[in-house]
Structure formats: C-alpha cells, structure tokens
Amino acid sequence: MNLSKNINAAHETFLDWKKVPFTDRQTLLLKLADVLEKNKEKFAKLITTEMHKPITQSIAEIEKSAGMIKFYAKAENVLKPEKIKTEFSISEVHNDALGIILGVMPWNFPFWQVLRFAVPAILAGNVIVLKHASICFESGDAIEKAFQDAGFPKHIFQNLRIGHDEIKEILENPLVRGVSLTGSEKAGAEVASLAGKNIKKSILELGGSDAYIVLDDADFEEAAKEAPMAKLQNTGQICNAAKRFIVHQKVEKDFVPKFIEEYNAFQPADPFNEETKLSKMARPDLADELENQYKKALKNGAEVVLNLERISESEFRPGIILVKEGNPILQEELFGPLAILMIGKDDEEILRLANDIPFGLGNSVWTKDKKRADFFIQNLESGTVSINKVTSSDVRLPFGGAKSSGYGVELSLHAIKEFTQIKTVVGNI
C-alpha cells in the first residue's frame, strides 16, 4: 500500500474540511447516524462474524454508536472563540483542528471504539486514517463506506488495511498530527513512544482491572444480579469490565452464592442465536493466554470458586477464583470470562485492594451510605467511579483512564477539543 498517497489525499481533504462550518459538519453526522440505524442488522452480523460477539450485543453496539453520533450532531459548538477580558481590545482563545489523526483501534468493539474516537475528531475539523485490528478489516471498510454514504468528503475517513509495522511510517509523516489508540498497555507504550519521538499528540485508552466493590450495607441482591453482565458482556473482553469483585466480609455469605447463581446463567452458545449471552473468545491465542493466566493464579495460591472450563479452542464455561492480596495475577488484566473474587474486612482495606494495581480505568461501588460512597469517590484511583451501577461509558460524560489505563478523554463535549491546537489571539485593533 502506498501510504504517502493515502496521507496526501487525507491532507488535501483536511485543507477544505477545516473550513466547513460546525453546523454543516453536524448535518452530515445526522446522516451518518441514519446510515448506521438503517443498516444495523447488516453491520451487527459483520461484527458477530468477525469476532463472535453475541448478535444482540452487536446490534446494541451499532445502536449505541448511532446514539453517540446524534449527540455530537446536536452538540453545542464548544470550538467558538472564547473571549477573555483583558486590557487589550482583542483577547481570545481559539481551537484549531490539527489535521490528520491516526486511529489504532481494537477488535472488541469494532464499530463503537472507532466511531467514539473518530466522530468528535472529525467534528472538530480533523480527518482520520484508521489502522483497525486485523480480524476486523471488513468492519473498517464498512465504516469508511458509511461515511461516504452519508455524504462526507471521500477521504475524510480512510480504513488502511495495514499491520503494526506501518504505524511507524504513518507517525513519521509530518502531515499526520496525532494518534488515538485503544488497546493493551504494551501497544499503548509503543505507539505513545513513537508519537512522542515525532512530537505528535496521543490519546491512550488501555487496559483495566476494574473493581466491583460491594459493601456490607449494599443492596447485595441487586449487586449480585448486575455483576455477571458487568464481567461477562462481550465474553469478558471489555477494558472497563468488572474484573475484581471486592466484597465486604460481612456480606460475603449473602452476596457470593447469589453471584455464583447468576453467573452460572452465562454459558457459551451460538452467537447468532438471539438468546445467547456468552460466546467464544475472539481468537484461540487469546483463549490460550487466559487459560495460562488462570493456571498462574492457581499456582500462586488462588482458590477455585467456579472452574474455568475450556470446551473448545476459543470457548470457556466462565470461572471465578478467590484471590488474596499479593497474588501476581492481580498485576495483570484478565481479558475473558474469568472473574477475581476478593474479601475485605473494612472500607480501608477494600480501598487498598482496589487501588493496589497498575490500572485505573473505572470502579463501581455499591453502598446505601453517602458518606461511605464519598470516601471511595475521593480516594479511588480511576477515571470513572460508578455508584450503585455497573461501570459503562456514557456519551454525555468524559471517559478515560488513570495510571497505566492511559490518558486523554473520549466522549462528552471535552472530546471535541482533544485533537485541537489552542491558539491565543491578543492585541489591539
């Protein structure tokens, strides 16, 4: 592939696109949302075919993507010059589009992750080149065609069928001004290093090992009912899935049996069946990795609560392990249908357990006491804290991580400015 040709075409499009009024860009976004809604079954089947997501969850992904696009299509223009009162007749802050932005996106939400990054960046006046996961090249092509069908300029969004080796060439091109990556900590470090070396803006949304904290005054039945989906949606292949269930010792005997009962309802089945809640993992090598992590955890003292049983090259009956502080598995992300259970004696110990990991994406706290909730809100080291609800992204609210879970913001009005350059204008006229 002649990448310089693609990049030059994107740059020519950018020179015109950055001059298009904000409201005209929004009109095209409404048309894009319409394209997604009209083709949601077709796009959902593509997702399920490529990475085995249960079909109802694939449809939900397209619907959520369309809803996100509509949000930005009706959003306030936060890029208007901000006037600052000074002794000068002109003192303003402008936000200029950067140019070409590279997206390095994963397979677990092949439409949502791409559009979540691309839509606010395009609304800000940028153009996109995408390096999608290799198993989702057809999803990338479908997204590119959706932009064209909605009436966007031809090279506003290009899906490049390339491997990881070409990322370096793209980021070294002076016309490319930023990169957004959603993926592993290792991939994020490599891409951020390349971006930094070439003085390019980067946004990283990386792994997580989110805590699902159940205190002794919580509605434990509701918490147990919601817990399995918090972990097992998309077969547990979600960065901000609940991965560590940290339960107060006083409610352990009430919560854990109910949790296991609800968890057992998720068993692998045909992803194209609308009744299916759990499917196979995206690739056999990912299943190998999860199985090896399971064995590692047990070797280091974890106890089996529910056996992780491999039934095919990519399928598991989901498992739960009881893990104590100090087990090295706690420093890793479990990306699949395996949950960690931990028991804490009081709020202080539970907080320490929750924070004692490299990641900080999102945490969920279940309690009826506002003061106790505030304690965790103030002290949890994560980009999101959810109270009496499952951690999930919401287009109206900023989404991002702390610590090794990355930096930068996606979603909300804040995301529109992420790939813009602040320009100060000051003087007299």
Side-chain angles (χ1 to χ4, degrees):
M1 177 176 285
N2 187 345
L3 290 176
S4 59
K5 182 179 178 180
N6 294 93
I7 291 171
N8 288 338
H11 182 65
E12 290 300 314
T13 298
F14 166 67
L15 294 178
D16 292 329
W17 180 248
K18 69 178 183 177
K19 301 172 186 175
V20 173
F22 191 87
T23 52
D24 290 354
R25 297 173 196 161
Q26 289 183 305
T27 297
L28 290 172
L29 286 180
L30 277 176
K31 294 179 180 178
L32 178 63
D34 188 54
V35 171
L36 261 65
E37 289 179 333
K38 287 181 177 178
N39 294 278
K40 68 179 181 180
E41 284 83 8
K42 180 178 74 172
F43 292 152
K45 287 178 182 177
L46 177 57
I47 292 171
T48 298
T49 299
E50 287 187 319
M51 52 77 61
H52 314 307
K53 181 177 296 184
I55 189 66
T56 55
Q57 294 178 25
S58 295
I59 291 172
E61 178 177 339
I62 300 301
E63 291 173 341
K64 185 174 182 178
S65 297
M68 177 269 297
I69 295 168
K70 287 181 180 179
F71 170 83
Y72 284 111
K74 300 172 184 177
E76 173 191 356
N77 183 0
V78 294
L79 301 180
K80 289 180 180 178
E82 178 187 1
K83 299 184 185 299
I84 308 294
K85 189 175 181 179
T86 69
E87 69 272 24
F88 299 101
S89 63
I90 299 175
S91 48
E92 299 176 345
V93 177
H94 294 219
N95 289 90
D96 292 347
L98 292 182
I100 302 171
I101 310 299
L102 168 65
V104 182
M105 294 291 127
W107 44 262
N108 58 338
F109 286 88
F111 273 70
W112 167 252
Q113 301 277 21
V114 171
L115 292 167
R116 183 178 77 179
F117 137 71
V119 166
I122 287 172
L123 180 56
N126 300 293
V127 299
I128 303 299
V129 292
L130 172 68
K131 187 266 176 264
H132 214 326
S134 58
I135 64 172
C136 294
F137 280 164
E138 289 192 26
S139 286
D141 288 344
I143 296 169
E144 179 177 329
K145 188 175 186 303
F147 273 98
Q148 293 173 4
D149 291 345
F152 280 88
K154 184 177 180 181
H155 298 110
I156 198 90
F157 180 102
Q158 296 181 71
N159 178 49
L160 308 179
R161 287 185 170 231
I162 58 175
H164 288 286
D165 292 343
E166 287 86 352
I167 292 174
K168 182 175 185 291
E169 180 182 345
I170 294 172
L171 287 177
E172 287 178 344
N173 190 304
L175 296 178
V176 177
R177 297 308 311 153
V179 58
S180 178
L181 177 141
T182 297
S184 68
E185 184 180 359
K186 180 176 182 292
E190 292 173 354
V191 169
S193 178
L194 277 172
K197 183 179 179 181
N198 290 280
I199 322 298
K200 309 288 173 75
K201 173 75 180 284
S202 62
I203 291 176
L204 304 179
E205 197 268 274
L206 308 179
S209 187
D210 293 357
Y212 190 97
I213 296 168
V214 183
L215 300 183
D216 54 308
D217 67 339
D219 182 341
F220 71 86
E221 290 194 355
E222 182 67 17
K225 181 180 177 182
E226 296 292 329
M229 182 58 85
K231 171 58 189 170
L232 296 174
Q233 183 184 358
N234 200 20
T235 314
Q237 300 168 122
I238 304 179
C239 294
N240 66 331
K243 297 187 173 82
R244 296 173 302 135
F245 294 82
I246 307 177
V247 180
H248 196 290
Q249 64 179 7
K250 290 182 179 179
V251 78
E252 176 185 358
K253 291 182 179 179
D254 293 318
F255 173 81
V256 174
K258 183 68 175 175
F259 175 38
I260 294 171
E261 178 187 346
E262 297 283 350
Y263 200 84
N264 269 324
F266 286 73
Q267 297 298 325
D270 177 6
F272 284 99
N273 186 328
E274 293 185 359
E275 301 300 316
T276 296
K277 296 190 288 186
L278 187 76
S279 181
K280 63 177 69 173
M281 294 183 67
R283 300 194 311 261
D285 63 300
L286 298 170
D288 291 341
E289 182 178 350
L290 183 70
E291 189 171 44
N292 289 335
Q293 288 177 300
Y294 178 58
K295 292 175 181 177
K296 177 181 177 179
L298 296 181
K299 184 179 178 181
N300 285 279
E303 299 175 25
V304 174
V305 177
L306 204 60
N307 184 41
L308 179 74
E309 181 186 353
R310 192 166 184 174
I311 59 174
S312 76
E313 66 173 9
S314 300
E315 289 175 291
F316 292 97
R317 299 192 192 282
I320 304 172
I321 49 177
L322 178 65
V323 176
K324 294 182 180 179
E325 191 173 7
N327 193 312
I329 201 66
L330 293 169
Q331 303 306 306
E332 302 178 15
E333 179 180 28
L334 297 179
F335 215 63
L338 176 61
I340 288 173
L341 175 65
M342 303 184 79
I343 307 301
K345 65 180 180 181
D346 55 34
D347 291 9
E348 288 73 19
E349 181 176 76
I350 288 171
L351 176 69
R352 189 181 73 251
L353 294 174
N355 284 337
D356 190 23
I357 58 168
F359 307 104
L361 197 52
N363 292 298
S364 177
V365 182
W366 294 75
T367 178
K368 296 176 183 176
D369 188 305
K370 188 177 185 303
K371 186 175 180 180
R372 294 177 82 182
D374 286 341
F375 169 75
F376 285 95
I377 291 168
Q378 296 299 323
N379 292 290
L380 282 169
E381 299 167 351
S382 58
T384 299
V385 178
S386 301
I387 306 298
N388 294 320
K389 68 178 290 293
V390 171
T391 296
S392 61
S393 58
D394 184 322
V395 66
R396 299 166 296 180
L397 302 171
F399 178 81
K403 301 194 289 187
S404 292
S405 290
Y407 51 75
V409 166
E410 294 183 309
L411 301 178
S412 79
L413 298 181
H414 295 275
I416 300 174
K417 292 185 176 182
E418 280 286 14
F419 286 110
T420 63
Q421 172 64 54
I422 291 178
K423 177 191 289 180
T424 299
V425 179
V426 59
N428 294 302
I429 191 168

